[in-house]
Amino acid sequence: MKVERIGVLTGGGDAPGLNAVIRAIVVTAHKHGMEVMGIMRGWAGLLEGGEVKLLTLPNVDDIHRTGGTVIGTSRTNPAKHPDGMGQIKRNLEKYHIDALIAIGGDDTLGIAQKLHNAGINVVGVPKTIDNDLSATDYTFGFDTSINISTEAIDRLHTTAKSHDRVLVVEIMGRYAGWLTLTAGMAGGAHIILLPEEKFDMNEVVNTIKERQKAGYNYTIVAVAEGAVPADVGDFITKDDKVDEFGHVKLGGIGKRLAKVIEKKTGQETREMVLGHLQRGGAPSAFDRMLGTRLGVKAVKLIVEEKFGEMASLRGTQMTSVPIKDAIGKLKLVDKELIEEMKLFMGR
Ligand code: F6P
């Protein structure tokens, strides 16, 4: 079948590099004589009757250098709405969208797979700053995010040292600690705590006491928002609410740690949450390039009628995998890397 019109949507949290993907899709589709409709606000836009706009070449001129997503995003789960999937099918038909490119993480791609099963022509592009999607080596947004967090940790060193303080920095990463591990090691955090292994508060306190004894006057602790203290046994959350995909709102582990550290070490301790600073702003060169290559590949998949596939980076090669093989299992930090990280605990 000849695809004349492609729809593109971005779902889940934004990630620097999304606009590079969108631009590459529009440019590549144009070369193949296809037009691109931007679906506004992710699945929410398709669900609510179709908020769509034609993306022309001038519309996407230069957007690869900017952060966020020009078509908006949401954490809407159509499968949680009455006849949501049927509504999406009808709206795709209404706008004569022959093939859909879904750019997102595990949740967005899970819906894409459901649509594929229902006979919709869909391809996927992996996206998350957390870098925890399996079946691709890197996701765009991660590189920008680790650079922002590393710079933040660099800056915390000088102020912590000047004030003889412990500084706890809370970094995004729900189930996987790639962001905290990379920024923590690159920025020289003395203690790094990841979601992959529950941690012992006493061990953290003892490491700081040992540093004090050894004559170091300050300590930087990098903790992932999804890190779990062994005595608590579960995520520290902001409240009891969950989103439509069943995710809790993480936050508070830094504050909790800081309180215990100050009490048990006697050293003045402050916490800071990097939060959405880690996702905002211009993408790095790596993320612009990766986003561009993924966008080109997504359109190629449509041209080759490889529906149900997701563009993927393996080594330096752009390839593709079935979406179903990319969802449902996250890529966590492996044990070997965690052991390497531990060599630097307290150093
Ligand atoms: O999934 C990416 C991510 O940035 C996580 O690291 C974080 O837990 C979550 O999004 C935050 O989401 P929100 O923008 O909805 O607060």
Side-chain angles (χ1 to χ4, degrees), residues 268-340:
E268 191 178 23
T269 304
R270 299 284 169 86
E271 80 278 351
M272 70 151 315
V273 180
L274 282 185
H276 294 86
L277 267 180
Q278 274 172 268
R279 290 210 318 236
S284 66
F286 181 88
D287 285 336
R288 294 177 198 191
M289 190 59 192
L290 177 55
T292 300
R293 292 186 72 195
L294 287 164
V296 171
K297 182 68 181 180
V299 175
K300 279 189 185 161
L301 289 175
I302 289 177
V303 172
E304 292 162 9
E305 299 191 14
K306 290 190 174 167
F307 300 116
E309 293 273 308
M310 179 190 88
S312 150
L313 181 74
R314 284 300 192 203
T316 56
Q317 297 299 308
M318 196 46 67
T319 176
S320 73
V321 291
I323 297 175
K324 66 173 166 29
D325 293 350
I327 54 177
K329 48 179 184 306
L330 293 176
K331 180 178 66 190
L332 301 180
V333 179
D334 42 83
K335 290 240 169 331
E336 199 185 328
L337 201 41
I338 293 180
E339 289 314 312
E340 284 170 24

Side-chain angles (χ1 to χ4, degrees), residues 12-15 75 105 107 127-132 145 171-176 179 225-226 238 243 247-251 275-276 278-279:
D14 67 330
R75 290 198 184 276
D107 299 330
K127 172 241 58 165
T128 165
I129 61 161
D130 293 2
N131 199 37
D132 59 0
S145 190
I171 298 178
M172 277 188 177
R174 194 181 281 273
Y175 306 110
L179 288 169
E225 61 176 2
K238 282 206 178 108
D243 68 18
H247 303 303
V248 289
K249 234 187 267 164
L250 295 177
H276 294 86
Q278 274 172 268
R279 290 210 318 236

Side-chain angles (χ1 to χ4, degrees), residues 211-288:
R211 279 181 58 79
Q212 289 171 332
K213 265 191 231 139
Y216 299 108
N217 73 327
Y218 79 108
T219 298
I220 305 287
V221 182
V223 60
E225 61 176 2
V228 173
D231 59 332
V232 177
D234 208 350
F235 287 140
I236 308 298
T237 58
K238 282 206 178 108
D239 51 40
D240 295 337
K241 288 187 203 131
V242 290
D243 68 18
E244 289 190 356
F245 286 95
H247 303 303
V248 289
K249 234 187 267 164
L250 295 177
I253 182 64
K255 194 170 182 185
R256 187 180 280 235
L257 255 174
K259 217 169 161 185
V260 176
I261 291 170
E262 184 163 286
K263 193 165 167 226
K264 295 202 173 169
T265 65
Q267 188 163 7
E268 191 178 23
T269 304
R270 299 284 169 86
E271 80 278 351
M272 70 151 315
V273 180
L274 282 185
H276 294 86
L277 267 180
Q278 274 172 268
R279 290 210 318 236
S284 66
F286 181 88
D287 285 336
R288 294 177 198 191

Side-chain angles (χ1 to χ4, degrees), residues 9-16 18 21 42-43 69 72-78 101-114 122-136 138-142 174-175 243 245 247 279 294 309-311 321-331:
L9 65 80
T10 53
D14 67 330
L18 275 170
V21 184
W43 298 120
T69 159
T73 185
S74 66
R75 290 198 184 276
T76 300
N77 180 354
I101 301 177
I103 313 172
D106 206 55
D107 299 330
T108 308
L109 294 172
I111 300 298
Q113 179 61 33
K114 284 198 173 97
V122 57
V123 300
V125 171
K127 172 241 58 165
T128 165
I129 61 161
D130 293 2
N131 199 37
D132 59 0
L133 266 178
S134 44
T136 189
Y138 281 101
T139 46
F140 61 85
F142 174 66
R174 194 181 281 273
Y175 306 110
D243 68 18
F245 286 95
H247 303 303
R279 290 210 318 236
L294 287 164
E309 293 273 308
M310 179 190 88
V321 291
I323 297 175
K324 66 173 166 29
D325 293 350
I327 54 177
K329 48 179 184 306
L330 293 176
K331 180 178 66 190

